[in-house]
Amino acid sequence: MNIDLSGKNILLTGASRGIGEALARSLAGAGARVSVHYSKSAEKAERLADELGNGARAFSAELSNPIETIKLFENVVKEFGSVDVLINNAGVAIHSPVDNSDEDWLADWHSTMNVNLTAMALLCRKTLGHFEERGGGRIINIASRASFRGDTPEYLAYAASKGGVIPFTRSIARYYGKKGVKAFVVAPGFVRTDMAQDFMDEYGEDFALNDIALPNLTTPSDIAPLVTFLASGLADHATGGTFDVNAGSYVH
């Protein structure tokens, strides 16, 4: 089955590395114009946008800042003319032991929530208004297996933030479907990325491997085809659904 996203404008957060980069390449390969959002590495994001073609452009925004988050949406619409698909992929996983000082632990909590949950919600809210004007569109939010099974004590905030993604997305699917909006969740397990390296440095790669049913860790390229498929409209009657990509490490 060939997926054709020609003419589709996609706002993709956290697009310059890891899962986001794999998503950007897959979506652009299907013909979409992709906004390559980044927060730090401008050179890498701009180089990726050039490689993607189809009019892709790099957009900077610090998602922990609500004003910058809102401006990201506005800048993409201004540059592209419209958004057809929103993919909230950006996230942080801050190592925050429970015996940290109250101040440090709370700072990590707020930083995690600001990026993983609040920025996601703000972009969805802006997109919903845009979709209502245009007759619909698709939202794909990246959660985690931690949304369901939890995580280690050092990543309590991460698990809590990703847990919030699920009911938020389901609410959109249930109450905006008649307005043409479809919303999905993709919940990866442990994925071999730079962001996961801190975990492997602390617990070891064998810890992650022993936790899964398959012989090798999930990679970003294992997630990209599913997200591209959901963006295509070929699975619209699965709106509200959560799709697990966790190598059999959590089955529910």
Side-chain angles (χ1 to χ4, degrees), residues 75-217:
N75 289 339
V76 173
V77 171
K78 182 179 179 180
E79 181 66 28
F80 285 2
S82 66
V83 170
D84 300 292
V85 182
L86 167 66
I87 303 174
N88 282 300
N89 164 73
V92 295
I94 300 173
H95 182 272
S96 186
V98 293
D99 57 0
N100 272 358
S101 69
D102 292 342
E103 293 79 8
D104 288 345
W105 192 89
L106 192 57
D108 291 341
W109 174 273
H110 285 310
S111 295
T112 301
M113 292 297 169
N114 285 342
V115 174
N116 292 0
L117 197 56
T118 302
M120 179 275 301
L122 283 171
L123 287 171
C124 285
R125 177 177 171 269
K126 297 293 290 185
T127 301
L128 285 171
H130 183 68
F131 283 175
E132 285 192 76
E133 293 176 357
R134 291 179 49 79
R138 296 175 186 85
I139 294 172
I140 304 168
N141 291 326
I142 307 300
S144 169
R145 75 177 179 192
S147 305
F148 302 100
R149 73 170 216 171
D151 214 317
T152 61
E154 296 82 8
Y155 295 96
L156 293 176
Y158 177 78
S161 68
K162 291 299 186 179
V165 172
I166 310 293
F168 187 92
T169 309
R170 288 175 177 171
S171 297
I172 290 173
R174 282 176 57 80
Y175 295 102
Y176 287 88
K178 292 287 197 299
K179 296 181 179 180
V181 179
K182 280 71 67 174
F184 312 91
V185 175
V186 174
F190 193 88
V191 182
R192 189 185 290 280
T193 63
D194 292 342
M195 193 173 84
Q197 192 60 49
D198 287 344
F199 183 93
M200 284 197 286
D201 289 344
E202 179 171 0
Y203 290 95
E205 186 168 328
D206 285 345
F207 182 93
L209 281 169
N210 291 335
D211 197 37
I212 64 176
L214 298 181
N216 53 291
L217 292 177

